[in-house]
Amino acid sequence: MFDFRHRSRLAAAAAAAAALLSLASACGGKAEAGGTAGGPGGAAVIKLKDPGNAGPLAYAKREGILEERLKAVGARVEWGGSYASFTATIDAVRSGSVNVLEGAISPALGYLANSRNIKIFSFTDPVTDRSAPPRDGLVVPADSPVRSVKDLVGKQVAVNKGGRGEYLLLLALRQNGIPADRVKRVYLNPVQGASAFATGKVDAWWAIVDAYPEVVAKGARVLVNGRDLPDRDLSIWAARTELLDRHPEAVRVVLDTLRELTEQEKRSPERFQNVFLKKGPTAVSGARLQDNLAEARFQNVPRYAGAADGKYVEDVAGIFRQYGVLPAAIPAAEVIFDLRAAPASAAPSGRAS
């Protein structure tokens, strides 16, 4: 005969299990909604790509500076994977594994053309001193018959789609009066571009970021640099919109730390090179190290974004719109976030040593 007391215990257990399942589902929903901005208890999580072996963020990671300062405002940092450029980081931004990233206006616009979930919170003014080493350039093989931008007619040029390479190439073609459709743009990321250039699959390549000094060191000839053009494509820092909206104080900590460490790097650049490894594939020496040190001395410090920076966004967007790279206008006011106007935040503790 069935025991009614046993049946009651089963019913109670089932009810408890249902309640736990309901609670877990509710918690899961909340965690997903706050996915890229929050952690346990709604705390902010700053998600950055791996900073590599050089620069302010590498130094901050080694010394635990962001960990300490973010803790003071109830936030924490997570370090993610390695990516060669802003464009290469896009998938990580989409998935939420990166929510704060560095780049330039051009690739940000390329991303924003399809998704409006990031905003720019910092700009860095261009380096105007001609003594500073260039950080990008249109390169051809040393023995190439191409001697000027005008010789590119009918040629294939590798660029990162909707990014700085494509922007600068379009700017150079316009400056030289060359219709954009007379030069074939081959869309490749920096790693793919380096391979295609090295194997002769393209005639030229607009190399950016670390790829530029590397290809020049291997003997590539430079036709033109971005600084030889009316370049309005400033370096930027951007973040996922929900992070900026919910936790501006945490993003301010990141920016203020970057500003402080960049000032230190300008004064003592040696401290910010080969931060983790003195030898190996990520370590630099010789001419490459000297080039990095010179770049660090000349660099400008990231600053807070403001409404006046809309003119840079509009100028870059104008080039992309003229040549059909952007399908529609992107109002500058919709992509700039002024951290100074956001709610007051707790002050970060300590100073970088």
Side-chain angles (χ1 to χ4, degrees), residues 2 4 16 32 51 79 100 159 191 231 247 287:
F2 192 82
F4 282 95
E32 184 177 358
W79 303 96
V100 176
V159 295
V191 174
D231 178 14
H247 304 287

Side-chain angles (χ1 to χ4, degrees), residues 8 23 25 109 128 190 234 236 282 286 302-303 348:
S8 297
L23 178 60
S25 299
L109 290 174
T128 57
L234 302 190
I236 64 158
T282 62
R303 56 176 175 76

Side-chain angles (χ1 to χ4, degrees), residues 101-296:
L101 70 165
E102 183 182 18
I105 295 171
S106 51
L109 290 174
Y111 177 81
L112 287 161
N114 300 303
S115 179
R116 296 293 179 89
N117 61 5
I118 65 170
K119 287 188 178 181
I120 301 167
F121 65 85
S122 174
F123 290 85
T124 303
D125 293 317
V127 175
T128 57
D129 194 320
R130 302 293 295 187
S131 302
R135 298 308 295 174
D136 62 67
L138 180 59
V139 298
V140 295
D143 59 353
S144 171
V146 175
R147 295 289 168 181
S148 70
V149 174
K150 292 183 178 180
D151 294 335
L152 291 174
V153 172
K155 305 295 186 183
Q156 296 189 94
V157 182
V159 295
N160 53 325
K161 180 177 175 61
R164 181 159 174 77
E166 184 168 27
Y167 165 75
L168 290 172
L169 177 62
L170 293 171
L171 208 57
L173 295 177
R174 187 177 75 165
Q175 187 178 62
N176 285 272
I178 303 170
D181 60 4
R182 300 290 303 279
V183 176
K184 181 175 176 56
R185 283 167 274 161
V186 180
Y187 292 132
L188 300 171
N189 65 36
V191 174
Q192 295 168 333
S195 176
F197 184 79
T199 56
K201 294 179 180 177
V202 293
D203 301 294
W205 175 34
W206 206 297
I208 60 172
V209 199
D210 290 340
Y212 173 75
E214 288 172 3
V215 74
V216 171
K218 293 176 181 177
R221 182 158 43 83
V222 183
L223 297 181
V224 63
N225 297 113
R227 68 183 185 186
D228 300 320
L229 303 169
D231 178 14
R232 304 281 284 173
D233 191 22
L234 302 190
S235 296
I236 64 158
W237 280 90
R240 294 273 301 216
T241 305
E242 67 269 23
L243 176 67
L244 290 165
D245 288 340
R246 298 176 190 173
H247 304 287
E249 71 287 349
V251 182
R252 270 195 291 265
V253 168
V254 174
L255 180 53
D256 287 343
T257 301
L258 277 169
R259 286 166 55 80
E260 181 181 329
L261 292 178
T262 302
E263 288 280 13
Q264 291 187 21
E265 186 182 30
K266 285 170 64 67
R267 295 192 299 269
S268 304
E270 297 83 1
R271 295 170 59 198
F272 294 82
Q273 292 294 317
N274 298 326
V275 173
F276 289 101
L277 298 172
K278 304 299 181 185
K279 295 181 180 180
T282 62
V284 294
S285 59
R288 178 66 188 279
L289 175 59
Q290 295 307 311
D291 184 72
N292 287 358
L293 294 174
E295 180 196 5

